[in-house]
Amino acid sequence: MLGDRWSLLILRDIVLHDRRSFRDLLTGSEERISAPVLSRRLTDLVAAGFLTKDEVTRGKQGRYSLTEQGMATVPLLIELGRLGARIDPTTAHNAPDLGSDHDGFAERLSALRKAHIGT
């Protein structure tokens, strides 16, 4: 599930940029994912248990939220971003900064969990 071309980028945008609606994910990504591919990947991420989608009335945008399984990808996303910045320093501006110390990271992770899962 995480090995395809788009899933980690979608999770990155949800985690690091708080892009939680289809429209935000579609228009906010530098990689320019197409609408059909984004729709399919979001459906797959929900089906695989990485995300949930709030049900809303017709005409309103649903919001995607991380599940505990989705939260488990956060350290991976951070390390991949750091590795990418080390390999290609021109991408350092994209590297996630969730705190360099353990306590800072734990606080940010806790805030992320509360925003998505509510606990």
Side-chain angles (χ1 to χ4, degrees):
M1 183 67 239
L2 298 177
D4 72 69
R5 183 174 177 177
W6 295 105
S7 294
L8 285 175
L9 295 174
I10 292 166
L11 290 170
R12 176 207 63 194
D13 284 353
I14 291 170
V15 169
L16 299 177
H17 303 294
D18 199 36
R19 296 180 184 135
R20 295 178 63 187
S21 71
F22 183 88
R23 183 175 300 141
D24 288 344
L25 289 162
L26 183 64
T27 61
S29 177
E30 293 177 19
E31 293 80 16
R32 301 190 186 269
I33 189 171
S34 71
V37 171
L38 176 60
S39 179
R40 182 75 234 154
R41 291 302 180 270
L42 286 169
T43 299
D44 292 346
L45 286 164
V46 169
F50 290 94
L51 298 174
T52 60
K53 181 182 179 191
D54 294 340
E55 294 302 320
V56 294
T57 59
R58 186 170 169 84
K60 301 281 184 181
Q61 286 201 42
R63 286 177 53 89
Y64 291 90
S65 296
L66 296 167
T67 62
E68 284 296 336
Q69 185 168 302
M71 290 292 302
T73 67
V74 173
L76 172 67
L77 294 170
I78 292 167
E79 289 308 314
L80 286 172
R82 288 179 180 161
L83 176 62
R86 204 167 41 239
I87 292 169
D88 182 358
T90 65
T91 66
H93 67 282
N94 289 327
D97 182 18
L98 293 181
S100 57
D101 65 342
H102 184 275
D103 290 338
F105 176 74
E107 286 178 26
R108 295 284 304 269
L109 202 55
S110 177
L112 189 62
R113 179 173 277 109
K114 185 175 182 179
H116 285 263
I117 300 171
T119 58

